[in-house]
Amino acid sequence: MRRYLRVLVLCLGCGFCSLLYSLNQFAVNLEEEESGDGGKLKAGAASWLTVSERIAGKGARSVGPKESPGGSDRYNKDVSLSYWNPYWMLPSDVCGMNCFWEATFRYRLMKTQSSDTMHLAVVACGERLEETITMIKSAIIFSIQPLQFHIFAEDQLHHRFKNILILKEVDSLLYVDTDILFLRPVDDIWSLLKKFNSTQIAAMAPEHEEPRIGWYNRFARHPYYGKTGVNSGVMLMNMTRMRRKYFKNDMTTVRLQWGEILMPLLKKYKLNITWGDQDLLNIMFFHNPESLFVFPCQWNYRPDHCIYGSNCREAEEEGIFILHGNRGVYHDDKQPVFRAVYEALRNCSFEDDKVHSLLHPLELELQKTVHTYCGRIHKIFMKQLTKSIRDNYVRSSKERDIPFNEQSF
């Protein structure tokens, strides 16, 4: 009897493997058929923005589908599947029981995700309209792939963003505060998604590099991530994984999903938190440290990194990638180097020659800030910005098939 049972189990196992192989071949065949028909997939509900016209007026560069060697169809795909990890490689607390089946039927879409639109989210409220527009401008100037903005705004600001449609579901998202300035393409931080391991769902930078001046390790009355906590001003998220993740917590032994855990955490720690959502994120990743990818401080450079002396080694070596003007430093005289960069980008228009309208005037302004600690290292504020503008000129020269003039730099 046992022999028959073993044979039966073996047959079932072989049949199951055959089924899996058939499903995989079915997906591959579908992919090949689509490739043979011009590589076109049915366009999804993609909403394209032309926000630059509202920012810079006539002649501004628009953000949306463009003519390209690969054709505009490669931008019109509506998928929500992560491309950097197959579902079956993810832990059960991230995916659950549906991972394998969803991956089997949607494997053919995985390779298309790398050319999708980059999604950038921001919350604009109060007097933050000008900051938000300047942030969007800095993202548009340097980025290469199409951008889609998701702006959450108060009612009185809606008319200023009336062209922006918020997607109900996206696979990945870059959230930034309004006081963020991009000094290199959004594409570069977006590419960090590929570096996530199978358990990571989000990426942030440390709140401090130097524990002696850290806020969380000195004053926090709640759990926080790592030695000095993390800063939520720039947060890269794999939304697909985030929606599926079951989080460990200190409220119950049962793991809870994202939508289930936030309000209970807020109720428990509402008398102890100072920095709102950032504190809640620190609590969550304290209990789930394996879920966080930590990127260097140059991706979220703030006054704290230079106000008491330079303490962001990566920025010293390669320059600042993303500037974060928290504490209102774009609008007062406490940190003139931050204000100078903000004013330079705010006054810059898309059709201007960036070397003469942005770089040269900014260099002169930064030289006036050497009386401050941040001003003494003002060259790190220019290093990556100069490279980004130069790369822009090189790309533009290649597209127009004209020689690049190195002497401009």
Side-chain angles (χ1 to χ4, degrees):
M1 187 66 181
R2 290 183 180 178
R3 184 178 302 173
Y4 291 121
L5 286 175
R6 288 174 184 172
V7 172
L8 179 61
V9 170
L10 181 61
C11 291
L12 289 175
C14 292
F16 182 68
C17 292
S18 300
L19 175 63
L20 298 183
Y21 177 78
S22 300
L23 290 173
N24 182 66
Q25 289 299 108
F26 176 69
V28 172
N29 289 336
L30 283 177
E31 184 176 5
E32 290 175 350
E33 287 175 10
E34 287 165 350
S35 299
D37 191 29
K40 295 181 181 179
L41 290 173
K42 185 177 180 181
S47 55
W48 298 101
L49 313 180
T50 311
V51 297
S52 53
E53 291 183 1
R54 300 182 58 78
I55 298 171
K58 188 177 180 181
R61 169 188 166 199
S62 63
V63 182
K66 295 185 177 182
E67 295 297 325
S68 65
S72 60
D73 286 311
R74 70 193 185 97
Y75 296 120
N76 291 330
K77 300 178 179 111
D78 182 25
V79 294
S80 59
L81 182 63
S82 305
Y83 66 87
W84 44 88
N85 279 115
Y87 275 129
W88 57 78
M89 291 175 60
L90 301 182
S92 59
D93 66 328
V94 175
C95 267
M97 293 297 295
N98 295 324
C99 296
F100 180 81
W101 295 111
E102 194 163 340
T104 302
F105 287 108
R106 301 179 66 185
Y107 177 75
R108 62 191 177 91
L109 296 177
M110 292 177 66
K111 296 180 181 178
T112 69
Q113 189 74 0
S114 60
S115 60
D116 273 355
T117 304
M118 299 179 293
H119 295 269
L120 194 153
V122 63
V123 176
C125 55
E127 303 298 322
R128 300 283 185 164
L129 175 64
E130 184 183 90
E131 275 188 359
T132 306
I133 292 177
T134 305
M135 179 275 294
I136 291 174
K137 185 190 296 185
S138 71
I140 293 172
I141 287 176
F142 301 118
S143 294
I144 303 168
Q145 292 293 101
L147 278 164
Q148 182 154 349
F149 296 92
H150 305 276
I151 300 181
F152 300 84
E154 294 175 325
D155 291 342
Q156 62 267 28
L157 297 181
H158 282 188
H159 70 285
R160 301 297 299 270
F161 301 112
K162 64 181 180 181
N163 286 340
I164 296 176
L165 303 176
I166 299 175
L167 297 181
K168 293 182 179 180
E169 291 187 5
V170 294
D171 177 69
S172 300
L173 191 69
L174 175 63
Y175 168 82
V176 296
D177 287 348
T178 60
D179 50 8
I180 288 296
L181 293 175
F182 292 92
L183 304 187
R184 70 180 294 172
V186 176
D187 309 62
D188 295 331
I189 188 169
W190 192 261
S191 69
L192 296 180
L193 287 165
K194 298 177 183 178
K195 296 186 178 182
F196 283 19
N197 65 29
S198 61
T199 65
Q200 291 165 340
I201 65 172
M204 288 185 280
E207 173 67 12
H208 287 282
E209 302 299 311
E210 175 52 64
R212 289 178 296 179
I213 60 174
W215 192 90
Y216 281 108
N217 55 288
R218 292 190 296 160
F219 306 115
R221 295 180 294 163
H222 57 76
Y224 56 88
Y225 178 88
K227 294 182 179 180
T228 59
V230 285
N231 185 280
S232 63
V234 180
M235 184 176 178
L236 185 64
M237 294 172 279
N238 180 330
M239 301 296 289
T240 300
R241 293 186 184 181
M242 192 172 287
R243 286 189 288 262
R244 295 179 178 276
K245 171 76 176 176
Y246 286 86
F247 295 88
K248 293 174 285 186
N249 59 87
D250 57 2
M251 299 173 294
T252 173
T253 56
V254 178
R255 297 190 178 195
L256 302 175
Q257 290 189 293
W258 187 269
E260 302 170 327
I261 199 171
L262 290 176
M263 288 308 297
L265 272 181
L266 179 59
K267 291 180 180 178
K268 178 174 181 177
Y269 289 104
K270 63 181 179 180
L271 299 179
N272 296 333
I273 62 176
T274 304
W275 308 114
D277 62 307
Q278 179 172 294
D279 291 344
L280 293 179
L281 289 168
N282 267 281
I283 296 169
M284 291 180 67
F285 287 113
F286 169 83
H287 294 290
N288 301 269
E290 75 287 348
S291 298
L292 187 65
F293 177 93
V294 180
F295 48 66
C297 48
Q298 62 194 140
W299 291 105
N300 188 351
Y301 192 91
R302 305 179 302 282
D304 289 333
H305 290 119
C306 58
I307 194 172
Y308 302 116
S310 182
N311 58 62
C312 179
R313 178 176 53 82
E314 291 85 356
E316 294 172 7
E317 295 174 356
E318 300 179 279
I320 298 167
F321 296 166
I322 295 179
L323 193 67
H324 187 175
N326 61 340
R327 302 182 183 178
V329 294
Y330 291 153
H331 311 292
D332 58 32
D333 297 320
K334 293 179 180 178
Q335 295 298 331
V337 64
F338 280 78
R339 182 168 185 172
V341 177
Y342 174 77
E343 292 291 340
L345 282 165
R346 184 176 70 89
N347 296 326
C348 175
S349 65
F350 290 99
E351 61 269 22
D352 286 346
D353 172 16
K354 303 300 184 298
V355 175
H356 295 94
S357 68
L358 178 58
L359 280 186
H360 291 171
L362 180 56
E363 285 178 331
L364 295 175
E365 287 299 315
L366 293 183
Q367 290 172 12
K368 302 175 184 178
T369 67
V370 293
H371 61 284
T372 65
Y373 279 114
C374 294
R376 292 175 188 173
I377 56 172
H378 65 269
K379 290 184 179 180
I380 72 172
F381 288 77
M382 293 294 299
K383 185 178 293 187
Q384 180 58 50
L385 183 61
T386 302
K387 182 180 184 302
S388 296
I389 293 176
R390 182 185 183 281
D391 291 345
N392 244 355
Y393 273 86
V394 171
R395 284 195 301 270
S396 178
S397 298
K398 288 181 179 179
E399 289 172 1
R400 293 181 292 174
D401 196 24
I402 59 176
F404 170 64
N405 183 10
E406 184 70 41
Q407 294 180 348
S408 300
F409 291 82

